[in-house]
Amino acid sequence: MKEMSVNILFPVLNERLRLQRGIDRTMEYLREKVDIPYCLTILDNGSEDETPEIGKALEEKYPEVSYVRVGERGVGVAFRKGIELNECSLVGYMDIDLSTDIKYLGRTIQLFQVRPELEYVNGSRFSKESNTRGRKWYRKITSMGLVFLLKAIFHMKATDAVCGFTFLRKETAERLVAACGDDNGWFYTIEFLLRAERMGVEIYDMPVEWQEDYNTTVKVFKTIKNYLVQIRRLRRELKQEEKRGKHAEKN
């Protein structure tokens, strides 16, 4: 059996204030707590600040760190690129602000080690066992509203869809990339989860401790608008796929 290894993807855009600290903290944790081979991939979505210089310096500082300049903006395109480049048996992404407590990285690796049937770990801020701190009221409302829509429209089973903490086995990640659309934004990670549920992927909805970062670069209202557009698009696509499937069964 191939030795287990993990590739941690960090999509970043204009993160000069948090990139150095995020990578340093992650490397410190990995060196102390993780006993499998690992690498970190910084996926720069077109930063216009000092992020590229910091990323390249971190690549020189740590042999395990790679800096990749992605041609387009968006978490979705960065996630796809990271999966395309990945050679480790596990791959996933975390927010560079480490809003999800980093100890869950170690717990995730342990889950994959002891549960060979497990294919996907989805971090959740809204599980009953989760502990979310510092969340601004309007962001909490929009996030919970999104979960409500996803459950009502797509019958989503997970308790959260955009925690910013997702890990999968390599083969499952590649299979989902082939099944998903090409949205470049945050909705790509949502479609990833929804497609996984529909495909019967073994998913663990993991409660996490999560801390709001008040210096986030996410534009809330622009993101909400994109969510609504993409929900409509995905709903239409899934209906068409179901019709084609029924037609194929008849023939």
Side-chain angles (χ1 to χ4, degrees):
M1 183 181 292
K2 183 180 178 182
E3 182 182 25
M4 185 172 287
S5 55
V6 62
N7 185 357
I8 305 153
L9 312 177
F10 288 98
V12 297
L13 174 65
N14 295 329
E15 293 286 8
R16 65 180 180 83
L17 297 177
R18 298 183 295 188
L19 180 54
Q20 177 86 44
R21 182 170 181 268
I23 297 298
D24 284 344
R25 283 185 62 200
T26 304
M27 284 299 302
E28 180 181 0
Y29 177 83
L30 289 167
R31 287 175 171 176
E32 291 182 0
K33 303 293 185 180
V34 173
D35 60 359
I36 66 171
Y38 54 82
C39 62
L40 285 65
T41 306
I42 301 167
L43 295 149
D44 186 349
N45 287 136
S47 297
E48 297 173 342
D49 62 359
E50 296 87 355
T51 295
E53 290 76 17
I54 298 169
K56 291 172 185 175
L58 287 165
E59 186 177 46
E60 293 182 8
K61 180 179 180 180
Y62 299 113
E64 301 89 347
V65 173
S66 298
Y67 170 82
V68 177
R69 183 80 171 183
V70 182
E72 301 174 76
R73 289 194 174 191
V75 172
V77 69
F79 192 29
R80 284 197 300 276
K81 186 67 175 177
I83 292 171
E84 175 191 331
L85 297 173
N86 173 59
E87 295 181 356
C88 294
S89 58
L90 303 176
V91 61
Y93 76 93
M94 294 170 54
D95 290 337
I96 195 62
D97 58 20
L98 304 182
S99 290
T100 299
D101 193 305
I102 198 167
K103 69 184 178 185
Y104 291 97
L105 177 57
R107 293 184 184 181
T108 296
I109 292 169
Q110 289 175 350
L111 279 170
F112 281 114
Q113 288 175 320
V114 301
R115 291 180 54 184
E117 79 283 359
L118 182 63
E119 299 177 77
Y120 194 132
V121 170
N122 174 62
S124 173
R125 299 161 295 177
F126 302 128
S127 169
K128 291 179 181 178
E129 295 82 27
S130 299
N131 181 11
T132 301
R133 301 182 300 275
R135 188 75 167 155
K136 293 180 180 178
W137 65 268
Y138 61 87
R139 296 201 66 177
K140 187 173 184 179
I141 289 172
T142 54
S143 295
M144 294 184 72
L146 172 64
V147 170
F148 175 81
L149 285 176
L150 295 175
K151 286 184 174 294
I153 297 170
F154 301 108
H155 309 292
M156 184 178 77
K157 298 174 184 176
T159 56
D160 198 355
V162 282
C163 176
F165 186 93
T166 293
F167 283 86
L168 307 95
R169 296 195 189 272
K170 180 179 187 291
E171 297 78 11
T172 304
E174 292 170 349
R175 187 155 53 100
L176 286 167
V177 166
C180 288
D182 58 359
D183 176 62
N184 284 353
W186 274 103
F187 193 82
Y188 184 83
T189 64
I190 298 172
E191 181 175 353
F192 213 76
L193 176 61
L194 295 173
R195 293 273 186 185
E197 289 189 345
R198 292 173 69 89
M199 291 164 65
V201 170
E202 184 72 24
I203 303 170
Y204 176 55
D205 196 54
M206 185 169 71
V208 298
E209 295 174 25
W210 194 92
Q211 174 68 53
E212 173 78 78
D213 184 348
Y214 294 108
N215 293 317
T216 179
T217 58
V218 175
K219 295 179 173 58
V220 176
F221 295 108
K222 182 179 179 181
T223 301
I224 291 172
K225 181 180 178 181
N226 180 62
Y227 283 162
L228 295 175
V229 170
Q230 294 301 326
I231 284 173
R232 183 180 179 186
R233 186 267 306 168
L234 182 58
R235 187 182 185 187
R236 183 173 62 249
E237 286 183 9
L238 293 178
K239 284 185 176 180
Q240 291 172 348
E241 290 173 14
E242 288 174 2
K243 287 181 180 178
R244 287 196 295 267
K246 290 177 181 178
H247 181 73
E249 288 177 5
K250 289 180 180 179
N251 295 332

